[in-house]
Amino acid sequence: INSCMEKLGSECTEILKMTIYDDLSMKEVGEKLGKNENHVRVLAYRCRNKLRELITENQTIYNLLKL
């Protein structure tokens, strides 16, 4: 997962770390980043989807290499 997080870019990585690891609310993340709470919510949604895609892609590659 960490290698996938690195591929997301700094903004996504920062948002996901604050919401997942630091357990901050969207409002708190918005305050820290100087962004609107709703904008952070949209960014977090997009970042989670991108992370999900990267994890799935990596799993597919891993499965192909095992063949």
Side-chain angles (χ1 to χ4, degrees):
I1 291 178
N2 287 331
S3 65
C4 293
M5 290 280 285
E6 292 172 5
K7 293 178 184 177
L8 287 175
S10 61
E11 185 175 52
C12 276
T13 301
E14 190 173 11
I15 289 171
L16 292 177
K17 283 183 178 180
M18 283 193 262
T19 57
I20 296 170
Y21 298 126
D22 299 336
D23 199 30
L24 297 179
S25 69
M26 296 296 168
K27 183 178 180 179
E28 292 169 318
V29 173
E31 289 171 356
K32 285 186 176 275
L33 297 178
K35 297 183 184 291
N36 178 289
E37 177 182 353
N38 289 329
H39 184 66
V40 171
R41 191 175 311 281
V42 170
L43 289 174
Y45 174 80
R46 291 177 182 165
C47 293
R48 282 192 303 270
N49 283 342
K50 182 63 177 170
L51 180 61
R52 189 176 296 115
E53 288 173 16
L54 288 169
I55 290 170
T56 301
E57 181 181 298
N58 279 352
Q59 186 62 42
T60 302
I61 292 169
Y62 175 76
N63 288 338
L64 289 172
L65 292 175
K66 284 186 0 183
L67 297 175

